[in-house]
Amino acid sequence: MTKKERADFVAKKLAELYPETPIPLDHKDPYTLLIAVLLSAQCTDERVNKITPDLFALADNPADMAKQPVEKIQEIIRPCGLSPQKSKAISGLSKILIEKHNGEVPQNFPDLEELPGVGHKTASVVMSQAFGVPAFPVDTHIHRLAQRWKLTNGKNVTQTEKDLKRCFPEEQWNALHLQIIFYGREHCTARGCDGTVCGICRALYPDRKRAVKTKKA
Ligand code: SF4
């Protein structure tokens, strides 16, 4: 199979398995999604969803959050890990949204990535899931699976994003990145498979005998 044929097969298979792509992080608007995505760095979405009700009860908009002492934010988000950096970032970006963006989450990559605690992956998630702008955020699952399906050489997440954007039509990106994450969590886990087990790799590589080694994100 060519890379294009493999990509088409994967997209078709994942659309069958996950026709709906609900956003895993609970939120009510672009601001609460931005905060939830920031909290999800090196933390599971399940844990973030357990923590955010308390955080958003304290403050669920930039104006109120900017008034909160960083220590109070840190206390609530501690179970998400990296709480000193994350609480400073939440406070800092809330103040910048008030000062520079009329309290609104900016709908463009440069302004988003200028905010403390917001890198390209976080900005991509917000652009695609809050504003519906085509984006392909690459997390550990997507980086791993793209290598196993040989859609990328896995040099780094930037390269993986470029390769996947070339493999799939833009209109598929927003659903596909969630479908790949769902498949990665459910079937194609880091320890769970060697690339010879399920219907996807068996179709892409029917003669594959040895386990596939992948590079970490
Ligand atoms: S065979 Fe393994 S590596 Fe390949 S897609 Fe299935 S679960 Fe993932």
Side-chain angles (χ1 to χ4, degrees):
M1 267 190 193
T2 64
K3 189 186 261 190
K4 185 74 187 86
E5 287 165 340
R6 291 199 300 277
D8 293 349
F9 178 86
V10 165
K12 187 167 160 293
K13 192 78 184 167
L14 293 179
E16 283 162 17
L17 288 166
Y18 308 105
E20 304 301 324
T21 51
I23 296 171
L25 288 165
D26 299 340
H27 64 285
K28 67 182 177 86
D29 55 23
Y31 176 72
T32 49
L33 178 66
L34 174 59
I35 300 300
V37 178
L38 187 154
L39 287 172
S40 71
Q42 297 181 37
C43 178
T44 63
D45 293 348
E46 292 69 33
R47 175 154 303 166
V48 172
N49 288 340
K50 282 205 186 87
I51 297 303
T52 45
D54 294 341
L55 180 64
F56 297 149
L58 175 74
D60 64 358
N61 61 76
D64 291 345
M65 191 69 82
K67 296 183 197 124
Q68 302 304 323
V70 172
E71 299 68 35
K72 202 158 185 185
I73 299 171
Q74 185 177 351
E75 208 178 293
I76 294 171
I77 68 167
R78 201 181 299 284
C80 291
L82 304 173
S83 60
Q85 302 93 311
K86 289 177 180 176
S87 51
K88 277 198 202 88
I90 291 171
S91 176
L93 75 82
S94 301
K95 289 175 179 137
I96 293 170
L97 292 182
I98 298 296
E99 288 153 15
K100 292 180 69 175
H101 302 289
N102 300 320
E104 298 294 330
V105 175
Q107 300 194 19
N108 67 78
F109 279 96
D111 287 338
L112 273 170
E113 292 179 25
E114 206 183 61
L115 298 170
V118 179
H120 181 62
K121 192 193 90 181
T122 298
S124 299
V125 172
V126 172
M127 290 296 278
S128 73
Q129 295 176 9
F131 302 125
V133 174
F136 218 127
V138 173
D139 74 346
T140 53
H141 296 295
I142 294 176
H143 189 56
R144 180 179 68 250
L145 274 64
Q147 290 175 73
R148 285 177 172 170
W149 299 332
K150 295 225 178 310
L151 301 178
T152 185
N153 61 15
K155 207 165 66 188
N156 54 50
V157 288
T158 309
Q159 184 64 45
T160 299
E161 181 181 341
K162 272 201 202 111
D163 292 337
L164 292 176
K165 283 181 169 177
R166 246 185 257 121
C167 283
F168 300 104
E170 195 175 84
E171 60 276 14
Q172 285 183 351
W173 296 354
N174 288 356
L176 201 52
H177 90 264
L178 284 171
Q179 289 162 335
I180 298 175
I181 291 173
F182 296 159
Y183 196 81
R185 287 184 179 150
E186 214 177 324
H187 303 284
C188 198
T189 62
R191 274 183 300 284
C193 185
D194 63 1
T196 61
V197 175
C198 84
I200 291 188
C201 279
R202 275 217 302 279
L204 302 180
Y205 294 98
D207 309 323
R208 182 182 275 171
K209 300 275 179 299
R210 281 201 312 284
V212 179
K213 291 210 173 19
T214 55
K215 299 184 190 90
K216 286 207 172 326

